Amino acid sequence: MELLAAIVAVLAVLVLVDLVLSAAIIRRLRQTETTLIELRTPPDTGLPVGATMPEFSAVNGDLSSRDLVGEPAVIAFFSTGCPHCPAQAERLAARADELAGHGTRVVSVLAVAEGTTDDLTPTLRKAGRLLTESGPDGLMAVFGETATPSFLLFDAEGRLMRKGHELSDVLGSG
């Protein structure tokens, strides 16, 4: 009987140790998950929802904020070297016909960093109007965007309706 009691006591201790270790592992996994989410989520920068589209004129002068008033517009910011931009550019190009059917203009702004290859231009041309800049100082600065990809949805009066870092944040899934 003493042997059985000793075995039960040892098993009880082992179960308690297992519970403590499992709780520590779960706590550590939650901390790691929070850290990963913080690393993956770009900061919320730029215009607040409800703001009016800022006055701008593209580098070559062939597009300005006045050209976009009167119809809804999506302004999308991309950059070469951005790991998430190719997938989001494909999604935007895939929805180009749908957006045009709803009367929504699409303007993509591509910041081409020196020393990087530009694989996004062919895809973004399928999505609508493409403006290429040599860095983040142009329209990205005008709109206050610091991370790419970024999407802004303006209504026909030029008021920011939605914004996000994924196309689905702005247009929903479709």
Side-chain angles (χ1 to χ4, degrees):
M1 202 49 126
E2 291 176 17
L3 180 62
L4 186 58
I7 291 173
V8 168
V10 168
L11 286 175
V13 168
L14 289 175
V15 166
L16 288 174
V17 168
D18 182 54
L19 284 173
V20 168
L21 289 175
S22 294
I25 290 171
I26 289 170
R27 187 175 340 111
R28 181 67 167 188
L29 285 172
R30 286 185 179 150
Q31 290 171 345
T32 302
E33 179 184 35
T34 301
T35 302
L36 287 174
I37 288 170
E38 290 170 358
L39 289 174
R40 185 170 180 252
T41 306
D44 186 19
T45 60
L47 301 173
V49 172
T52 303
M53 183 185 303
E55 293 290 324
F56 72 89
S57 180
V59 175
N60 57 8
D62 66 346
L63 182 72
S64 70
S65 53
R66 291 184 309 278
D67 298 326
L68 298 177
V69 175
E71 56 192 347
V74 171
I75 300 179
F77 296 93
F78 298 92
S79 62
T80 56
C82 163
H84 304 289
C85 287
Q88 292 299 317
E90 290 288 340
R91 289 184 183 110
L92 184 61
R95 295 190 67 179
D97 290 339
E98 170 194 344
L99 292 168
H102 293 305
T104 302
R105 292 190 65 182
V106 175
V107 176
S108 298
V109 179
L110 176 60
V112 180
E114 188 174 323
T116 60
T117 57
D118 175 13
D119 297 332
L120 293 173
T121 292
T123 303
L124 292 174
R125 281 195 177 132
K126 296 175 192 173
R129 186 71 177 271
L130 174 62
L131 303 173
T132 304
E133 299 181 336
S134 60
D137 298 335
L139 289 178
M140 283 186 73
V142 170
F143 284 86
E145 291 299 321
T146 59
T148 57
S150 290
F151 300 92
L152 306 174
L153 175 63
F154 290 91
D155 65 13
E157 288 78 41
R159 187 163 316 281
L160 182 60
M161 302 304 295
R162 288 187 221 125
K163 67 183 210 172
H165 294 287
E166 293 189 20
L167 188 61
S168 61
D169 294 340
V170 173
L171 301 177
S173 59

